[in-house]
Amino acid sequence: MSIAEEAASQSAERRFAAFVRELRTLSGIPQAEVARYMTSNGWGWKQQTVTKFETGKRMIRLGEAVALASLLNFDLGTFADDIRMQPFCRTCGGLPPAGFTCNTCRSSANS
């Protein structure tokens, strides 16, 4: 895997984590409930696992992503298509901090 491909992959993972965090928050689902759901589906997550995933400190397996999509009721395939369509920005990785706009790619994040 090239450096660019690796960077793009990390960006997709960061985008997925941010998407899950936002959808979970908007749905009013606490991290502890996500952990219970994941554990009941054989993944052995704790609340700290959710935090590490959502902050990019933990990688996620495909099966875990499928389980999260089921819990949060979104189509993982559609999300993957959306990620492929977005260009990779080396400055912000496609995810500027909440309330900011990246000067390089002009992506913005809601606060």
Side-chain angles (χ1 to χ4, degrees):
M1 179 181 294
S2 74
I3 293 173
E5 289 171 329
E6 186 175 335
S9 171
Q10 290 173 355
S11 175
E13 290 162 356
R14 286 183 57 211
R15 290 177 187 177
F16 183 68
F19 174 77
V20 167
R21 181 180 59 244
E22 182 176 355
L23 190 54
R24 176 190 62 75
T25 302
L26 290 172
S27 300
I29 300 172
Q31 287 183 337
E33 187 175 328
V34 173
R36 279 191 297 274
Y37 178 85
M38 294 300 285
T39 296
S40 72
N41 282 277
W43 294 107
W45 279 31
K46 299 177 182 174
Q47 185 173 349
Q48 295 86 346
T49 311
V50 179
T51 300
K52 286 179 182 179
F53 161 65
E54 289 183 351
T55 58
K57 294 178 182 170
R58 181 191 184 278
M59 301 292 276
I60 188 166
R61 296 178 180 104
L62 179 58
E64 292 172 323
V66 170
L68 287 170
S70 177
L71 170 66
L72 298 171
N73 196 30
F74 69 90
D75 181 15
L76 191 56
T78 300
F79 179 83
D81 287 343
D82 290 345
I83 287 293
R84 269 197 310 269
M85 300 294 284
Q86 297 176 8
F88 176 71
C89 174
R90 289 187 178 267
T91 303
C92 73
L95 286 174
F100 290 90
T101 299
C102 176
N103 290 331
T104 304
C105 70
R106 306 307 299 163
S107 291
S108 61
N110 297 329
S111 47

